[in-house]
Amino acid sequence: MLKFAHIEFLWGLAAIPLLIALFFAVSRWKKKAVARLGDRKVVDLIIPEVSFSRPWLKFILFVTAYALLVVGIADPRMGSRLEEVKQKSADLMILLDVSNSMLSQDIAPNRLENAKRSIAQLIDNLHNDRIGIIVFAGEAYVQLPITTDYSAAKLFLNTITTDMVPTQGTAIGAAIDLGMRSFDFKNGTGKAMIVITDGENHEDDAVAAAKSAADKDVMINVIGIGSLEGAPIPIYENGKEIGFHTDSLGKQVLSKLNEEMGKEVAIAGKGAYVRATNANSGMSIVMDQIAGVQRKTVDSRNFKDYEDRFQFFLGLALLLLLLEFFISNRKSLRLSNVKLFEVKSPTPAAGSGPSQNRMNTGKK
């Protein structure tokens, strides 16, 4: 069965009748011009090198080459081949801190929005891996179950705010435990978590939770977001910033990145720790670490595909164009039966030269 990948290019074949009509018109005009010179046999003697048949041969070669070229550009596909495509997947759970401290603006525009942007870029670079999202503050909740629907993942990501979890705090351990319960360990795929937090954990033992996950071959990676110097935590009302959080003495509270906590959790979870900055979210470094997670074939499909045959048409078209180029419009006199006649002056007879004539005129 013949199919074309770009069938619209076949409209170029419509130019062939126009080329034929134009060639016939030019040939007819040449024929009339030669007829005006005189008898055809006499004209052949006058212009013996001109061929009236070779232009037809050259035109046939050119038109055939043009047709083959158009068909080749349309990319004909013939026959079929069976190709097996295997999809390998791993499960990835994002644990995102949504405590009020994530509104601090030491990472532009703030810690939470910066983290959401890096997660969106991660989703854009995923192919077959499954992804889920858990949000946590003083408690942890599943925002998005494990899925391959990346559009849905970005939609759920955009709805995340610090108001989602009413209980304040940073329960990293609870988030890791919830992530472990959300995984399907029966499918045999590799599993990993990415914890994005400022590390101010006060609720549970996050290091113990990470170690327990690592014992079950789940890698825990941590991206620390924030600055070591700290930044005040803004207060918003109806979307407008109205001030900053203060302690019981009325002093502004500074939220600082607890980098030691993040490193301890990553070490216990046999993963990597990276500090995010305005220039680098650290997500690419973590994903390089996760690339070593074992992936399992979760889907295998057979596809029928047509093989391209354009190269045969283009090759033959090129051959015909080269042949047409080397065929001359003129005949070769070596191969022609036409003989050129040389006009010679008559040879004078013996005794009839000028001196003899003078001798004859002297006699009476």
Side-chain angles (χ1 to χ4, degrees):
M1 185 176 181
L2 178 65
K3 287 189 174 182
F4 292 92
H6 307 286
I7 196 170
E8 64 275 8
F9 287 111
L10 292 180
W11 283 105
L13 297 176
I16 293 180
L18 298 178
L19 294 175
I20 294 176
L22 181 62
F23 178 78
F24 270 98
V26 172
S27 298
R28 186 177 180 182
W29 173 79
K30 287 183 177 180
K31 188 176 181 180
K32 290 182 178 180
V34 170
R36 286 195 293 267
L37 295 176
D39 184 73
R40 177 63 179 271
K41 294 182 179 180
V42 176
V43 172
D44 288 342
L45 292 176
I46 297 174
I47 47 176
E49 295 183 356
V50 175
S51 173
F52 294 96
S53 60
R54 290 194 180 190
W56 284 85
L57 176 60
K58 288 172 65 67
F59 177 74
I60 293 173
L61 292 175
F62 172 78
V63 170
T64 305
Y66 172 79
L68 292 172
L69 185 63
V70 171
V71 174
I73 294 175
D75 193 4
R77 296 177 175 182
M78 306 174 70
S80 64
R81 62 183 179 188
L82 195 63
E83 183 176 354
E84 184 179 7
V85 177
K86 295 182 179 180
Q87 294 183 353
K88 293 187 176 182
S89 174
D91 293 343
L92 179 62
M93 185 68 76
I94 306 294
L95 312 183
L96 179 59
D97 188 349
V98 293
S99 59
N100 285 335
S101 61
M102 292 292 286
L103 295 176
S104 297
Q105 299 171 356
D106 48 359
I107 300 292
N110 59 52
R111 297 174 184 176
L112 180 59
E113 289 302 317
N114 187 282
K116 288 167 63 175
R117 289 178 183 178
S118 64
I119 295 172
Q121 292 175 357
L122 166 66
I123 294 173
D124 290 337
N125 291 324
L126 292 178
H127 298 289
N128 300 319
D129 294 332
R130 303 195 304 170
I131 188 172
I133 301 175
I134 290 177
V135 295
F136 67 93
E139 298 176 352
Y141 299 92
V142 176
Q143 172 73 359
L144 175 71
I146 290 287
T147 181
T148 55
D149 190 344
Y150 301 143
S151 297
K154 295 187 73 172
L155 182 64
F156 277 89
L157 178 65
N158 291 331
T159 63
I160 294 177
T161 65
T162 56
D163 299 327
M164 302 183 68
V165 181
T167 306
Q168 282 302 302
T170 312
I172 298 176
I176 294 176
D177 290 338
L178 180 58
M180 293 297 291
R181 294 195 299 271
S182 302
F183 282 134
D184 179 9
F185 287 92
K186 294 181 180 180
N187 62 13
T189 58
K191 294 169 175 54
M193 296 187 196
I194 300 178
V195 182
I196 305 177
T197 179
D198 52 24
E200 293 186 332
N201 186 80
H202 307 291
E203 279 66 34
D204 50 24
D205 192 348
V207 175
K211 187 177 185 305
S212 177
D215 291 339
K216 296 181 180 179
D217 295 327
V218 178
M219 180 189 297
I220 309 297
N221 302 273
V222 180
I223 295 179
I225 188 164
S227 64
L228 299 177
E229 297 78 14
I233 304 173
I235 300 174
Y236 291 91
E237 184 175 311
N238 297 325
K240 294 183 179 180
E241 184 179 315
I242 60 173
F244 297 94
H245 283 275
T246 58
D247 57 18
S248 58
L249 300 177
K251 196 174 182 180
Q252 276 189 0
V253 176
L254 293 180
S255 173
K256 299 180 181 182
L257 170 64
N258 188 350
E259 197 163 45
E260 292 303 319
M261 170 62 71
K263 290 180 179 179
E264 290 177 8
V265 172
I267 292 173
K270 297 181 180 179
Y273 171 81
V274 183
R275 185 203 299 179
T277 64
N278 285 316
N280 184 8
S281 67
M283 189 66 75
S284 60
I285 298 175
V286 170
M287 288 308 297
D288 289 341
Q289 182 79 7
I290 294 175
V293 172
Q294 181 179 1
R295 283 166 167 77
K296 181 182 177 182
T297 301
V298 294
D299 192 13
S300 179
R301 299 179 182 179
N302 292 326
F303 294 90
K304 285 187 175 180
D305 191 17
Y306 289 89
E307 294 186 1
D308 295 323
R309 302 291 187 181
F310 67 91
Q311 58 271 18
F312 299 105
F313 292 89
L314 296 183
L316 187 55
L318 178 61
L319 180 63
L320 293 179
L321 287 175
L322 288 175
L323 183 60
E324 187 273 341
F325 176 78
F326 286 108
I327 294 179
S328 174
N329 282 317
R330 295 178 174 274
K331 293 186 293 185
S332 174
L333 292 179
R334 295 180 181 179
L335 303 178
S336 176
N337 291 325
V338 178
K339 296 181 180 179
L340 296 180
F341 297 95
E342 180 181 359
V343 179
K344 299 182 181 179
S345 58
T347 304
S352 60
S355 58
Q356 183 67 30
N357 291 334
R358 284 193 299 268
M359 291 175 63
N360 291 335
T361 55
K363 294 180 180 181
K364 290 185 181 180

